[in-house]
Amino acid sequence: MAADKVAGMGRITVIGAGMGAMAAAARLAVAGHRVVVYERAETYGGAVRRFERDGFVFDTGPGLLPLPAVYRDLFVKTGKEPLEACVELVQVDPSSRHVFADGTEVALPNASRAGVVTALDEALGAGAGARWGDFLVRAREAWDRTRRPLLEEPLWPNWSVLAEREPYPSVPHKKLLRTRRATTLAEVGAWELRDPRLTALLECHALAYGLDPRATPASAAVLPYMEHAFGTWYVRGGIRELARAVYERCVARRVEFRFGTPVERIVEKDGRAAGVELADGEVADADFVVAGVAPGVLDALVPGTALRGGDEVAPQRGAPSRLTVLLALRGGRPEGVAHRTVVHAADRAEELDRLFGERPGLPSSPTVTVSRPDDPALAPDAGHEAVTLSVTVPSGLPVSEADVEGVFGVAERAIPGLRDRLLWHEVRTPADIARETGAAGGAVPAPALAAADGRLLHAPNTTRTQGLFAVGGWAHPGGGLPHAGMSGALVSGLIVEGPEFRGSQ
């Protein structure tokens, strides 16, 4: 990208009010820019939404916050009040409970290697904990090698180095006369963990982001490592409270929001983004434009294509989606219940074929994540409970009542008597995600990962159009709450410091 002008006091237009876009807006406002956010919906948060009915409250997007340091940094850099003064963060313990296909169960302590090793040995047999613990040591090495280029720095011009080099130090695997090393997550499970239950534990982290473990690089080991090293956190009142806090920080920094205001196109002048044209014909001039939208939406806003491609990292345009079922239950939340329970698929091969094969659909017994927050604010009283079921599904999948019944059947393994307790349920489908985010088929972006020939890298935050930047889950460093927050930091750095910006120090 050619050198951009850097304005000490510029006008910046932000398209979309998702988490990455708001993170960028707050940082840019603190740097002295006048920032206006145009959001086609009537609220902020992007995919971080809330559903309320009859006194029950549910997150319809992410339910937990990994790597809270990203948002702590945002609040430190944009005001006097730290994150913990604006929301109540709670460390979830156990981090997760797992119900495996053979009926084995294990609850994993939060951010405790020794505790996890002991729990796995007790549940799965001697040696299981040590194999998982050794895997986490190797995963840490992959994290150390990729953390800066994949989270804290703009995408390297020589990005192919990240695409070609596998950062996970896999263990040599000897079979007959050949010695091989794992290159995919599935091979890590088969060759290094050597237990189908440990493999399921590993692969569920990839499935949660819609990644096929058979094709996902071994570098995805960083996903379970992030939870292990930095803990699993819940925001009291739901993750929507984090979106509220970021929005209020933007407002306090005098960011202007215009909701219910779709942008029709990005205005260019002399090859540079010069503002936006709104649906009513109004043109808002700007020195920089920040687009927090899916690639297909950005394509429609810019004449030609502003997104990079060719021999550069092309934007990802497809990914699986998510089916969410919200449950209003009679009876209070039992004491000692885990916040998050993962009920693993009865048939791994069927699940992967249905999610990633040629005939997409919902498997008969999918992996279901059951969220049961210990939060009185989510239910009308102590005699009721709000529960969320989440399933990775193919994007664009039409969901039937039979599909929902199948999810209920799986969830009953975690919540005995579920149907007897059910007052009502609400289904959120890929079509709902598509409507709220603009992503085709309701696709949900995955985090950027190294290796795999660059298939899981995301397009850079800069574009071919000078003055136009991409932020949020569909741009570097990809999907996930911490990644969205980092994309906001990167875009603000590129605008404030210019093309020479190399990331946070």
Side-chain angles (χ1 to χ4, degrees):
M1 171 181 153
D4 248 324
K5 66 179 180 179
V6 181
M9 183 66 179
R11 298 166 300 175
I12 298 181
T13 288
V14 178
I15 306 172
M19 297 299 284
M22 290 196 296
R27 289 175 181 270
L28 288 166
V30 167
H33 295 280
R34 178 178 178 269
V35 184
V36 182
V37 178
Y38 297 92
E39 168 58 55
R40 66 188 180 94
E42 297 295 338
T43 188
Y44 53 83
V48 182
R49 298 292 184 97
R50 171 181 284 163
F51 179 83
E52 300 183 49
R53 174 181 163 187
D54 301 338
F56 291 90
V57 180
F58 306 87
D59 281 322
T60 60
L64 292 170
L65 176 65
L67 205 59
V70 171
Y71 287 91
R72 289 190 178 115
D73 181 71
L74 171 64
F75 277 73
V76 165
K77 299 289 176 55
T78 59
K80 295 180 179 179
E81 287 187 318
L83 176 63
E84 279 83 351
C86 303
V87 297
E88 183 181 353
L89 282 178
V90 180
Q91 198 163 18
V92 176
D93 200 11
S95 173
S96 57
R97 169 180 168 238
H98 294 264
V99 180
F100 297 107
D102 66 353
T104 308
E105 298 186 16
V106 63
L108 302 180
N110 199 343
S112 168
R113 183 178 183 277
V116 168
V117 167
T118 299
L120 288 172
D121 276 344
E122 291 177 352
L124 308 187
R131 291 197 298 278
W132 184 259
D134 291 344
F135 158 75
L136 288 176
V137 172
R138 296 188 292 275
R140 176 179 180 175
E141 190 167 336
W143 168 260
D144 289 340
R145 290 174 176 176
T146 60
R147 175 180 58 86
R148 281 199 61 80
L150 288 184
L151 283 180
E152 299 175 1
E153 299 175 347
L155 189 64
W156 292 350
N158 61 334
W159 60 268
S160 60
V161 176
L162 295 172
E164 296 163 359
R165 184 181 301 164
E166 172 55 71
Y168 177 78
S170 54
V171 176
H173 170 70
K174 291 184 179 181
K175 186 173 183 180
L176 299 177
L177 300 179
R178 298 183 63 191
T179 298
R180 297 186 60 189
R181 293 179 181 270
T183 60
T184 68
L185 214 59
E187 290 173 344
V188 171
W191 298 347
E192 298 180 11
L193 298 179
R194 304 190 308 278
D195 184 309
R197 297 163 298 184
L198 289 179
T199 297
L201 175 60
L202 171 65
E203 293 183 349
C204 74
H205 292 274
L207 284 174
Y209 285 107
L211 298 171
D212 182 351
R214 301 168 301 184
T216 300
S219 65
V222 299
L223 300 177
Y225 175 75
M226 283 172 60
E227 283 197 6
H228 164 75
F230 307 110
T232 303
W233 299 80
Y234 173 68
V235 179
R236 187 72 68 188
I239 292 294
R240 177 66 179 176
E241 287 298 294
L242 177 65
R244 173 197 56 76
V246 175
Y247 167 71
E248 290 180 353
R249 177 55 54 91
C250 286
V251 172
R253 299 284 79 83
R254 299 187 179 180
V255 174
E256 179 184 348
F257 285 83
R258 293 182 62 178
F259 295 112
T261 308
V263 171
E264 288 294 305
R265 70 182 181 96
I266 294 172
V267 177
E268 289 185 79
K269 185 177 181 180
D270 300 326
R272 180 185 175 85
V276 297
E277 181 180 336
L278 307 180
D280 61 3
E282 176 189 347
V283 174
D285 295 332
D287 297 301
F288 300 93
V289 176
V290 177
V293 297
V297 176
L298 186 55
D299 288 341
L301 295 177
V302 188
T305 176
L307 293 168
R308 295 181 182 272
D311 60 352
E312 300 170 330
V313 176
Q316 294 186 21
R317 297 182 181 273
S321 185
R322 188 173 296 119
L323 167 64
T324 305
V325 184
L326 314 176
L327 308 178
L329 302 184
R330 303 180 186 87
R333 180 180 184 274
E335 191 72 27
V337 164
H339 181 118
R340 174 179 57 174
T341 298
V342 180
V343 184
H344 293 271
D347 187 331
R348 170 184 179 270
E350 184 215 8
E351 176 168 56
L352 298 182
D353 287 343
R354 294 293 280 166
L355 286 178
F356 307 107
E358 296 180 357
R359 295 185 302 107
L362 194 67
S364 56
S365 177
T367 297
V368 177
T369 299
V370 181
S371 297
R372 308 176 74 177
D374 183 10
D375 189 346
L378 304 187
D381 53 51
H384 294 86
E385 183 182 8
V387 175
T388 301
L389 311 179
S390 181
V391 186
T392 296
V393 299
S395 59
L397 182 74
V399 177
S400 68
E401 275 301 317
D403 291 331
V404 176
E405 279 297 314
V407 172
F408 281 163
V410 175
E412 280 190 312
R413 297 178 63 197
I415 311 175
L418 167 61
R419 286 182 174 86
D420 292 337
R421 295 181 57 194
L422 186 63
L423 283 170
W424 52 261
H425 71 276
E426 179 79 14
V427 179
R428 309 287 291 176
T429 69
D432 294 312
I433 297 175
R435 185 176 62 255
E436 293 173 354
T437 67
V444 178
L449 294 171
D453 297 323
R455 287 185 296 103
L456 293 173
L457 295 176
H458 286 262
N461 307 105
T462 52
T463 71
R464 288 177 175 172
T465 302
Q466 287 192 26
L468 173 63
F469 297 83
V471 74
W474 293 103
H476 178 72
L481 280 172
H483 298 73
M486 287 305 304
S487 76
L490 293 173
V491 166
S492 64
L494 287 165
I495 291 176
V496 172
E497 297 185 26
E500 67 279 5
F501 175 68
R502 291 296 177 265
S504 58
Q505 301 300 320

